[in-house]
Amino acid sequence: MNEDIDMLIIANDLKQRGRKSVISGKFIFISMSNEYEYVIYPVNENKTLSVKELEEFVDFSNRIKKKGVIAIVDKYGDVTYYLLSEINLGKK
């Protein structure tokens, strides 16, 4: 249930910033013009996020050709956005 509240907080924050957003499953898509360019993964500051979850999200955003963003909601309802581009943890 807390995740639903975080989604609404983020959607409201985006609306206040003049961004069009659509909630779809566990993600939020943002339109900067006429096309959805970003996919947001909402995270509460109290949730532990594993490296595997981050890697899966980056892979997902790359597959759908959208820029991946993590939105962290703090205990005051403030949202901080982080743009992710690539994660490569393989040994060389």
Side-chain angles (χ1 to χ4, degrees), residues 18-91:
R19 304 289 184 235
K20 180 181 173 188
S21 65
V22 172
I23 296 173
S24 178
K26 63 180 182 177
F27 302 110
I28 300 172
F29 292 85
I30 306 175
S31 172
M32 298 301 280
S33 55
N34 291 333
E35 183 180 326
Y36 290 100
E37 298 177 27
Y38 296 87
V39 58
I40 294 181
Y41 185 40
V43 178
N44 187 283
E45 73 174 348
N46 296 320
K47 181 184 182 234
T48 301
L49 192 63
S50 72
V51 173
K52 182 161 180 62
E53 287 175 287
L54 282 174
E55 184 178 31
E56 288 171 355
F57 174 64
V58 170
D59 287 344
F60 169 73
S61 64
N62 287 335
R63 276 195 317 272
I64 64 171
K65 296 181 177 21
K66 307 290 180 221
K67 297 173 186 166
V69 176
I70 290 189
I72 299 178
V73 180
D74 69 15
K75 64 183 175 185
Y76 303 109
D78 295 326
V79 185
T80 305
Y81 300 93
Y82 296 95
L83 180 64
L84 302 177
S85 58
E86 182 177 338
I87 295 178
N88 185 353
L89 301 175
K91 288 186 176 181

Side-chain angles (χ1 to χ4, degrees), residues 9-23:
I9 289 171
I10 294 167
N12 186 50
D13 182 68
L14 292 168
K15 183 178 180 181
Q16 290 177 353
R17 294 170 186 252
R19 304 289 184 235
K20 180 181 173 188
S21 65
V22 172
I23 296 173

